[in-house]
Amino acid sequence: MADNKQLKVTLVRSKHGRLKNHQDCLRGLGIRRIHRTVLVNDTPENRGMINKVSYLLKVEEA
């Protein structure tokens, strides 16, 4: 199935001192520590969270 695309998301800037809902977006994506990469499904919900905190992340297609 071609719709099982995933994204590699890496936290490149600290989440400390950020808005609470931005920290919640990172938690929802499963990102815990800086310079760690997680794989997330490419869904509209995940894209929305990624767009909200894009200034903290590096995103690549997996």
Side-chain angles (χ1 to χ4, degrees), residues 10 18 20 22 28 36 40 45 49 52:
T10 305
R18 306 298 177 184
K20 172 92 168 73
H22 287 198
R36 296 293 170 99
V40 296
E45 295 82 6
M49 288 191 282
K52 184 175 259 190

Side-chain angles (χ1 to χ4, degrees), residues 2 5 14 18 24-25 28 30 38 44-45 51 56-59 62:
K5 290 172 54 173
S14 176
R18 306 298 177 184
D24 292 342
C25 284
V38 296
E45 295 82 6
N51 287 339
L56 300 173
L57 303 174
K58 181 175 84 171
V59 182

Side-chain angles (χ1 to χ4, degrees), residues 1-61:
M1 295 167 79
D3 56 21
N4 286 348
K5 290 172 54 173
Q6 290 194 317
L7 300 170
K8 284 170 45 174
V9 182
T10 305
L11 185 63
V12 293
R13 297 184 66 194
S14 176
K15 64 183 178 180
H16 294 287
R18 306 298 177 184
L19 293 172
K20 172 92 168 73
N21 57 350
H22 287 198
Q23 292 181 19
D24 292 342
C25 284
L26 293 172
R27 191 174 305 117
L29 290 167
I31 299 171
R32 296 175 185 270
R33 297 173 65 185
I34 196 164
H35 299 301
R36 296 293 170 99
T37 302
V38 296
L39 287 174
V40 296
N41 291 327
D42 189 3
T43 63
E45 295 82 6
N46 286 341
R47 282 282 184 166
M49 288 191 282
I50 289 169
N51 287 339
K52 184 175 259 190
V53 293
S54 61
Y55 66 100
L56 300 173
L57 303 174
K58 181 175 84 171
V59 182
E60 307 169 75
E61 295 211 8

